Amino acid sequence: MPQKTYYLDDETDTRALGESLARALSGGLRIYLHGNLGTGKTTLTRAMLKAAGHAGKVKSPTYTLVEPYVIELNGHPVDFFHFDLYRMGSAEEFLEAGFREYFNENSICIIEWAEKADTELPPPDLAISLEVKGDGRTASLTASSDKGRHCLENLHYTSHS
Ligand SMILES: Nc1ncnc2c1ncn2[C@@H]1O[C@H](COP(=O)(O)OP(=O)(O)OP(=O)(O)O)[C@@H](O)[C@H]1O
Ligand SMILES: [Mg+2]
């Protein structure tokens, strides 16, 4: 499986990776973020949304489970859903909340703690694992579909720090 790994020295680097990812997005992309509490999943997503043109706040969807946004991609509005399923009790809850409808060929879904709904979720196009390493983080990106491979090919990350 195609993979890219980066060392992120500090939060600035995590944001830079999010900005690079924003330039490699396409409609229908599903990105699942893995990593312990406080490894930078929300930081990465926030930077992605800002770089994709979202001007307002980006709240962590800790209690709401999902926060919806609309971004512009190649001149077209696209739904961007940011999930954090950490507080979801069971995979059934995912179904009952109607979250399956958020996944379609047009919408972009970024999910923190996808593990919580794994039996109900479609497979990701791209999985990103964040791990604490020294004072920074290691980010491993793995593509598992053509869409994900395309995203990785278009991803050109350079550290800002
Ligand atoms: N590359 C990095 N090196 C060191 N610290 C970082 C790096 N990237 C982000 N951080 C810091 O780590 C923390 C990450 O918090 P964040 O809320 O993004 O984590 P999270 O993975 O979303 O956690 P949760 O699972 O609780 O939602 C922030 O304090 C941020 O400043
Ligand atoms: Mg988070």
Side-chain angles (χ1 to χ4, degrees), residues 8 10-11 14 37-43 112-113 135-137:
L8 310 172
D10 53 22
E11 190 184 326
T14 302
L37 293 166
T39 44
K41 301 181 292 297
T42 300
T43 305
E112 299 183 40
W113 296 102
D135 289 335
R137 310 284 187 262

Side-chain angles (χ1 to χ4, degrees), residues 4-153:
K4 285 186 177 177
T5 302
Y6 303 111
Y7 183 69
L8 310 172
D9 255 315
D10 53 22
E11 190 184 326
T12 306
D13 276 356
T14 302
R15 284 204 301 259
L17 178 60
E19 287 158 17
S20 312
L21 274 165
R23 290 188 282 273
L25 294 175
S26 62
L29 192 71
R30 296 190 291 270
I31 303 179
Y32 297 178
L33 303 176
H34 303 282
N36 273 326
L37 293 166
T39 44
K41 301 181 292 297
T42 300
T43 305
L44 185 78
T45 308
R46 192 171 276 139
M48 216 186 286
L49 272 162
K50 291 205 164 148
H54 174 71
K57 272 202 152 206
V58 177
K59 290 187 287 174
S60 177
T62 311
Y63 294 98
T64 52
L65 302 180
V66 63
E67 290 288 339
Y69 302 90
V70 179
I71 61 165
E72 204 161 288
L73 217 57
N74 309 314
H76 299 284
V78 169
D79 287 319
F80 182 115
F81 296 110
H82 176 201
F83 288 89
D84 180 346
L85 303 180
Y86 187 71
R87 285 175 192 275
M88 204 173 66
S90 66
E92 289 72 51
E93 209 179 298
F94 182 87
L95 279 189
E96 286 159 16
F99 288 159
R100 280 282 274 270
E101 287 164 36
Y102 290 62
F103 292 73
N104 61 60
E105 276 315 295
N106 231 333
S107 68
I108 292 168
C109 290
I110 311 285
I111 311 189
E112 299 183 40
W113 296 102
E115 295 83 345
K116 296 276 181 170
D118 54 1
T119 54
E120 304 302 337
L121 280 172
D125 299 296
L126 190 67
I128 304 179
S129 291
L130 293 164
E131 248 182 284
V132 173
K133 184 90 180 286
D135 289 335
R137 310 284 187 262
T138 304
S140 309
L141 298 83
T142 308
S144 49
S145 72
D146 284 344
K147 207 182 269 292
R149 267 187 289 278
H150 201 243
C151 178
L152 267 195
E153 279 164 18

